[in-house]
Amino acid sequence: QKVSLEVLDHLEHLALVDFRDLEGVERLQKAIQFADQLHEVNTDGVEPMDSVLEDRWCLYLREDYVTEGNCTKELLENARETVEEYFVAPPG
Amino acid sequence: AALKDWLRSQVSAALKEGRVTPTELCQRCLALIKSTKFLNAYITVTEETALKQAEESEERYKRGQPLGILDGIPIAVKDNFSTAGIETTCASNMLKGYISPYNATVVQKLLDQGAVLLGKTNLDEFAMGSGSTDGVFGPVRNPWSYSKQYKEKSVPKSHSEDKESNWVITGGSSGGSAAAVSSFTCFAALGSDTGGSTRNPAAHCGVVGLKPTYGLISRHGLIPLVNSMDVPGILTRCVDDAAVLLGSLAGHDPKDSTTIQDDFKPFELPNLTDVSKLSIGIPKEYHAPGLSSEILALWSKAADLFKNAGAKVVEVSLPHTRYSIVCYHVLCTAEVASNMARFDGLEYGHRSDVKDSTESMYAATRREGFNDVVRGRILSGNYFLLKENYEKYFVKAQKVRRLIANDFVKVFRSGVDILLTPTTLSDAAPYTEFIQEDNRTRSAQDDILTQAANMAGLPAINVPTALSERGLPVGLQFIGRSFQEKQLLTVAKWFEKQVQFPVIELEEVKRHDNDVFQHQKSASFS
């Protein structure tokens, strides 16, 4: 079952990465084929696992106090195109 | 004394007693890095800052106030950890020239203890790969390629040029770090481990490679690959050193909400003499297709070693092992698709000159910045995350993940303390052979023995065990219970003592470097 051109286009659009050539598309086909092996496993009644730390319930919220920041200068330094304190993207 | 003759503990003692100064040590390591440049282990060598750090360390020793046992110890860090003021590239065009504005927590911790950062080590691009061959700065060469042990076993060729193409890979993706430790240019290095990226090169380079329990060491500043599996890895020349590094790095970090909140107490490893209370599990599924008969024999020998010493050795089963690679493939590509979305050229990193629109700029930037491996994974990941595929692939993989993790829980609950498995399917392949298969195939093959530990978040360690028939290192892996690093390392240390893995005998390699090279064992500077 081959991936349709429509889906290929959609993927390029979503990923903002292109397949470049036939090889890229074939690579995807192989990846899907490989992944299909998952369906051999019986997962009836099995809950998906998000985190290995689920028992410890690690993901907590902290108090909403500002503890750091004021690093505008450092953050802008790494961008190629900036205007004042803005990152600049091409229009459109 | 030669750098190669010193374990970190001896260096620490020597520093404290003033037999060597931090600057001398730093200079010798830097000189060795220069003369082993052909290994391509380092992307960036931070000579100036290293010497400055060494000088500061020296001042502290003079005052009798070293910060701790890591004060003055030269270390290296994989180039996917953020280092303030120092280029962090992930071996990708996307981040060439990117200067991190901050230190990763683990880097900060090492610096706070006075460690001397020699440089950033080479890797597969964005840590995707199992050879350290797919980065933009070229492949890393395994130091053992130049060892007396390997050369003695090599089939003699008619032309000396052919020896050049005989070099073997380090494994990956933390190959640079493994090579750096293996060739004595530093006493410890940081790697990362998502599917085996610390343990695999550790096995091929004959060094100790520790993957800690997920949640023990902060990932803040480690440029993420798979957030639910990544961990910083530790590479050292002996198990005791790994324990020392672990002690200085582990613990809750408010900046990484996936680190556990429990207090971590650094520990010293006891010298285990009585293994009779230990139960070692041998998972039969790790007798994987493609496992070399050599490694199988070594694994068996190791099991006997434990048995003869009085430990209980039992065969166990982890039935879903063979699906861990497929599961990883889906979860990894999905998380990668998400993690790589941040690279758009706007805030940092490479930016394309294309100006037609924001979207076309993003697309061009990503086309120019990422290699095929990265792009391939992003596309696959996006496919598995499509609405029509989400349940079928992503959620399905998450369910299989639970089954894999449960396999381990069951085995540990049955009374097994530690699992003993091979780390790799064979010894290091020659580069020319390795590159004949594509990255995805290689990763799928090579990760098979290491990946499941990441799936389940368990601690695992590679201990160099013996040399193969080709004169190359082979290691064995121990997998422990969650957060039971002390037990894991104690057993690993016992095993290390039993096997007495040989020291690498690095031959002179004048052809590769213009500097005058000592005629003795290459690492000696008397």
Side-chain angles (χ1 to χ4, degrees):
Chain A
Q1 200 180 357
K2 291 232 162 203
V3 181
S4 71
L5 272 172
E6 204 185 292
V7 172
L8 291 176
D9 272 340
H10 187 44
L11 282 176
E12 282 190 338
H13 184 76
L14 278 177
L16 284 175
V17 157
D18 60 351
F19 284 97
R20 197 167 282 182
D21 50 28
L22 195 61
E23 208 188 309
V25 178
E26 275 171 16
R27 205 180 292 128
L28 176 66
Q29 290 287 162
K30 282 201 195 120
I32 299 169
Q33 224 177 336
F34 191 63
D36 282 332
Q37 291 174 73
L38 276 179
H39 303 120
E40 294 168 21
V41 189
N42 183 346
T43 52
D44 291 342
V46 181
E47 283 297 301
M49 182 179 237
D50 287 323
S51 166
V52 294
L53 297 173
E54 58 186 13
D55 290 338
R56 290 170 177 266
W57 199 233
C58 228
L59 289 173
Y60 57 94
L61 292 175
R62 67 184 184 114
E63 290 304 310
D64 190 14
Y65 296 132
V66 175
T67 51
E68 56 181 348
N70 284 326
C71 50
T72 315
K73 183 167 153 292
E74 286 87 342
L75 293 180
L76 287 171
E77 257 165 22
N78 275 307
R80 231 188 71 173
E81 283 181 45
T82 58
V83 167
E84 290 177 17
E85 294 190 344
Y86 291 89
F87 294 112
V88 180
Chain B
L3 278 174
K4 71 166 185 58
D5 294 325
W6 273 349
L7 289 178
R8 190 223 33 92
S9 52
Q10 295 161 314
V11 169
S12 290
L15 284 170
K16 207 158 169 208
E17 292 159 25
R19 282 182 282 129
V20 73
T21 66
T23 30
E24 268 168 6
L25 193 57
C26 182
Q27 280 162 347
R28 283 161 78 165
C29 287
L30 288 170
L32 190 55
I33 293 175
K34 282 203 182 90
S35 62
T36 53
K37 203 159 172 208
F38 55 90
L39 294 177
N40 203 19
Y42 289 80
I43 293 176
T44 303
V45 179
T46 49
E47 189 164 332
E48 260 181 56
T49 50
L51 286 167
K52 189 159 160 287
Q53 286 161 6
E55 272 164 28
E56 288 166 8
S57 172
E58 198 159 313
E59 282 306 304
R60 291 190 290 267
Y61 273 104
K62 278 197 190 131
R63 291 198 307 266
Q65 294 171 333
L67 292 167
I69 44 177
L70 286 180
D71 205 331
I73 300 290
I75 52 138
V77 166
K78 187 176 182 182
D79 208 14
N80 59 352
F81 284 93
S82 302
T83 41
I86 299 168
E87 197 178 351
T88 300
T89 67
C90 293
S92 175
N93 278 321
M94 191 56 92
L95 288 177
K96 241 187 194 170
Y98 168 71
I99 311 278
S100 326
Y102 70 104
N103 279 322
T105 297
V106 287
V107 172
Q108 191 61 54
K109 284 188 166 186
L110 289 175
L111 294 175
D112 285 345
Q113 305 203 24
V116 172
L117 177 62
L118 295 173
K120 309 296 290 298
T121 58
N122 205 350
L123 58 154
D124 280 304
E125 182 161 339
F126 279 110
M128 298 187 202
S130 57
S132 302
T133 52
D134 277 326
V136 292
F137 298 102
V140 185
R141 298 185 181 204
N142 191 328
W144 284 84
S145 313
Y146 303 97
S147 69
K148 189 159 166 223
Q149 292 107 326
Y150 178 62
K151 290 189 169 181
E152 275 172 356
K153 300 293 179 85
S154 292
V155 175
K157 304 261 194 274
S158 47
H159 305 286
S160 58
E161 262 67 67
D162 285 350
K163 266 204 209 146
E164 260 299 294
S165 57
N166 224 13
W167 60 269
V168 298
I169 58 164
T170 50
S173 60
S174 311
S177 282
V181 173
S182 171
S183 58
F184 310 108
T185 59
C186 62
F187 287 85
L190 291 185
S192 66
D193 197 310
T194 306
S197 290
T198 287
R199 293 161 285 154
N200 175 296
H204 287 317
C205 294
V207 298
V208 171
L210 171 63
K211 174 217 167 291
T213 310
Y214 180 86
L216 186 61
I217 299 187
S218 173
R219 290 180 300 111
H220 175 73
L222 167 60
I223 295 172
L225 182 60
V226 183
N227 297 72
S228 70
M229 294 183 213
D230 289 351
V231 291
I234 293 169
L235 293 134
T236 56
R237 286 201 283 282
C238 67
V239 177
D240 269 328
D241 285 354
V244 167
L245 264 288
L246 183 70
S248 58
L249 296 177
H252 178 63
D253 181 12
K255 293 183 181 174
D256 177 358
S257 61
T258 60
T259 51
I260 56 161
Q261 311 227 20
D262 302 11
D263 274 331
F264 173 80
K265 291 186 190 62
F267 48 79
E268 246 182 62
L269 295 176
N271 273 313
L272 188 65
T273 44
D274 174 23
V275 296
S276 61
K277 297 197 184 62
L278 264 182
S279 172
I280 308 284
I282 310 287
K284 62 181 188 192
E285 290 84 2
Y286 279 64
H287 185 350
L291 185 67
S292 80
S293 50
E294 238 185 346
I295 298 196
L296 180 62
L298 214 60
W299 184 23
S300 188
K301 213 166 152 197
D304 288 341
L305 194 71
F306 278 100
K307 209 182 294 173
N308 295 336
K312 181 167 170 224
V313 178
V314 287
E315 188 189 76
V316 296
S317 176
L318 298 167
H320 296 92
T321 301
R322 66 194 193 89
Y323 294 108
S324 89
I325 279 294
V326 187
C327 187
Y328 177 63
H329 166 70
V330 173
L331 294 179
C332 173
T333 50
E335 293 211 36
V336 160
S338 172
N339 279 323
M340 296 295 134
R342 72 192 67 194
F343 297 106
D344 55 21
L346 216 48
E347 301 103 324
Y348 45 75
H350 174 68
R351 177 175 174 144
S352 171
D353 289 328
V354 169
K355 288 198 204 342
D356 308 345
S357 69
T358 302
E359 210 175 284
S360 59
M361 186 277 278
Y362 285 171
T365 295
R366 291 158 72 79
R367 188 189 320 127
E368 293 163 19
F370 292 138
N371 73 4
D372 284 346
V373 177
V374 179
R375 285 165 52 253
R377 291 200 195 187
I378 293 172
L379 288 164
S380 301
N382 274 78
Y383 179 82
F384 298 132
L385 291 172
L386 288 175
K387 233 187 282 185
E388 64 256 33
N389 294 330
Y390 194 80
E391 280 287 330
K392 222 171 84 167
Y393 290 99
F394 183 68
V395 176
K396 179 78 180 178
Q398 287 191 306
K399 292 179 179 179
V400 175
R401 181 175 188 175
R402 182 178 295 284
L403 292 175
I404 293 168
N406 282 348
D407 279 356
F408 284 102
V409 170
K410 286 194 195 111
V411 162
F412 285 128
R413 234 175 237 163
S414 74
V416 166
D417 298 306
I418 304 272
L419 296 169
L420 168 62
T421 80
T423 313
T424 55
L425 294 174
S426 66
D427 57 5
Y431 176 70
T432 47
E433 201 183 286
F434 185 79
I435 52 172
Q436 288 184 22
E437 287 277 11
D438 70 270
N439 183 294
R440 196 185 58 77
T441 311
R442 281 297 181 199
S443 299
Q445 293 164 346
D446 301 331
D447 287 348
I448 218 161
L449 301 168
T450 47
Q451 210 299 305
N454 299 84
M455 218 27 108
L458 298 171
I461 186 170
N462 171 76
V463 180
T465 305
L467 293 184
S468 69
E469 265 170 36
R470 286 163 67 216
L472 294 171
V474 168
L476 290 176
Q477 173 178 238
F478 294 91
I479 304 175
R481 297 164 192 249
S482 269
F483 302 105
Q484 301 302 311
E485 270 80 352
K486 186 170 179 188
Q487 183 183 51
L488 177 69
L489 291 170
T490 301
V491 174
K493 182 175 165 176
W494 180 87
F495 183 70
E496 175 187 61
K497 200 160 165 206
Q498 308 305 309
V499 299
Q500 297 282 304
F501 183 78
V503 177
I504 184 176
E505 290 172 53
L506 277 172
E507 296 226 305
E508 56 185 344
V509 277
K510 271 190 276 195
R511 223 183 319 117
H512 293 278
D513 131 69
N514 297 321
D515 297 356
V516 172
F517 218 82
Q518 318 281 4
H519 268 265
Q520 307 169 5
K521 303 157 208 176
S522 69
S524 38
F525 293 82
S526 322

